[in-house]
Amino acid sequence: MELLKRISLYMVGIVVFVAFVNGFIDESKELYQLIQQQSDEQLEETVQGKAVHNGLFGKLTYYAVLTDGAEENVIYNSEARDYAEIPKSEFDALEIGDTLKGTLTGAAFSKEDIRSQIYEHLLLMAIALIYPTFFIIYQLIHIPSVNRWTNSHDKWLSRLFSGIFIAGLCIGLLFSYVSMTKDIVSTVQAHHGNQQETTALITDRYEDHSYSYKGYWRSYYYLALAFEDQEGSMIHLTKAVPPSIFNNNDFSVKINYPEENPYRVYMDGIKVSDSFFYFNALILYILTIVLTLLLIYAAFLMRRKKKTGSYWPVRKKYPPLDSFPP
């Protein structure tokens, strides 16, 4: 029975290993194609409009619209060449009819398009390699000759692997905290200042239920909104929303935004039905906080071990009561 259990666990480990390796290969192929398609030829596109992607927690990404009418569509529900990602400074100065210069790289056009895609592929490749790397190391150390060699060099090997593990963990936590901070700042900025309330027209909608090779389902809901700001300018944006907002609003939706930046749109009210959705969206941040607390606790225990020789508090032993004289 124990043998069958071990064989079953080993087979599961191999399946997971293959899944992560396939994910790494897929991301590598896409990154290679992206780099191979780069050209020095400068192309020009006429700007047909401007649009912004407003994330679930208010993070803004700015786009120039290169296809007439595409600003009314959800960005993720359009052809890749309909939009070109640009920095905020360029977005603020951009006018309809201006010429945008770029280098065609597959579906990417601007430098920001290419950079964001390269970062995304590299990040996913790094994540996909974590499990296969430790799986291979685990298999190697069970080979007798390798095991004997590791036992003879266990001191510096343990330091090496511990250092690599801690460094990788700290880098991952750092990236997560940076992303978390950006989301917090974006949320605060959306609720700061003179608030305006209006009704936005829903020009397009898109939902995506994706299964990641990293092992979980994730649902995304987007609405393309159009409305006039306080100055009468037409604002177009794609807003990530929870399922209750997506399902309960067909043609229009009430929105709020700070007067100084109408693209920082948000909707009031979080329903109980959205709890699992938000938990799924925040799971990485939750794990980041839990891992940080565990690391702090581990450091505290190691400090106690160094001082007292034990990870746990040493209880003072008192003599039994009957040992005292009457």
Side-chain angles (χ1 to χ4, degrees), residues 151-180:
N151 288 335
S152 62
H153 301 82
D154 60 335
K155 190 172 182 179
W156 70 267
L157 281 175
S158 61
R159 291 180 179 177
L160 175 63
F161 286 118
S162 298
I164 294 175
F165 176 77
I166 294 174
L169 185 59
C170 290
I171 291 174
L173 291 176
L174 178 61
F175 276 111
S176 184
Y177 274 114
V178 169
S179 179
M180 188 190 309

Side-chain angles (χ1 to χ4, degrees), residues 13-25:
I14 292 177
V15 171
V16 176
F17 175 85
V18 172
F20 275 88
V21 170
N22 285 337
F24 175 81
I25 293 174

Side-chain angles (χ1 to χ4, degrees), residues 273-321:
S273 59
D274 296 326
S275 299
F276 180 75
F277 171 80
Y278 277 106
F279 175 80
N280 203 13
L282 293 169
I283 185 65
L284 291 179
Y285 296 159
I286 295 173
L287 290 176
T288 297
I289 294 173
V290 171
L291 282 175
T292 302
L293 294 176
L294 289 176
L295 286 175
I296 294 174
Y297 185 58
F300 172 76
L301 291 179
M302 292 177 67
R303 184 171 179 269
R304 177 186 287 169
K305 174 73 180 299
K306 187 176 181 180
K307 281 188 173 183
T308 65
S310 173
Y311 290 116
W312 313 112
V314 178
R315 295 183 179 181
K316 294 182 178 180
K317 294 183 178 181
Y318 296 96
L321 293 176

Side-chain angles (χ1 to χ4, degrees), residues 89-295:
S89 57
E90 189 174 344
F91 180 88
D92 292 336
L94 199 65
E95 299 289 343
I96 297 176
D98 288 351
T99 298
L100 188 68
K101 294 183 179 180
T103 303
L104 182 62
T105 306
F109 180 77
S110 66
K111 293 181 179 179
E112 283 70 24
D113 287 333
I114 300 170
R115 186 182 298 113
S116 63
Q117 290 186 33
I118 289 177
Y119 286 164
E120 180 181 351
H121 290 313
L122 289 175
L123 177 61
L124 292 176
M125 287 167 61
I127 293 174
L129 275 182
I130 294 175
Y131 178 84
T133 301
F134 283 98
F135 183 83
I136 292 174
I137 292 174
Y138 180 79
Q139 302 306 319
L140 287 175
I141 60 177
H142 283 77
I143 299 175
S145 58
V146 176
N147 189 33
R148 287 193 298 270
W149 184 84
T150 55
N151 288 335
S152 62
H153 301 82
D154 60 335
K155 190 172 182 179
W156 70 267
L157 281 175
S158 61
R159 291 180 179 177
L160 175 63
F161 286 118
S162 298
I164 294 175
F165 176 77
I166 294 174
L169 185 59
C170 290
I171 291 174
L173 291 176
L174 178 61
F175 276 111
S176 184
Y177 274 114
V178 169
S179 179
M180 188 190 309
T181 302
K182 289 181 178 179
D183 282 339
I184 293 173
V185 170
S186 296
T187 302
V188 172
Q189 289 177 338
H191 291 79
H192 180 73
N194 186 19
Q195 298 292 306
Q196 303 295 322
E197 182 177 345
T198 188
T199 299
L201 180 67
I202 300 175
T203 58
D204 190 21
R205 59 177 57 237
Y206 177 65
E207 58 181 310
D208 178 26
H209 305 283
S210 302
Y211 181 77
S212 168
Y213 64 81
K214 293 182 289 297
Y216 63 92
W217 283 96
R218 176 72 189 276
S219 297
Y220 302 87
Y221 302 89
Y222 303 101
L223 295 176
L225 307 177
F227 63 95
E228 288 188 357
D229 63 8
Q230 293 297 104
E231 299 178 354
S233 300
M234 183 59 68
I235 303 297
H236 291 278
L237 60 87
T238 292
K239 173 61 180 168
V241 297
S244 63
I245 298 292
F246 184 88
N247 295 322
N248 296 330
N249 297 274
D250 296 324
F251 305 105
S252 63
V253 61
K254 289 185 178 180
I255 61 171
N256 298 275
Y257 64 88
E259 185 176 356
E260 61 272 14
N261 192 341
Y263 289 104
R264 292 198 178 278
V265 165
Y266 65 94
M267 292 83 169
D268 281 328
I270 298 177
K271 296 190 176 182
V272 176
S273 59
D274 296 326
S275 299
F276 180 75
F277 171 80
Y278 277 106
F279 175 80
N280 203 13
L282 293 169
I283 185 65
L284 291 179
Y285 296 159
I286 295 173
L287 290 176
T288 297
I289 294 173
V290 171
L291 282 175
T292 302
L293 294 176
L294 289 176
L295 286 175

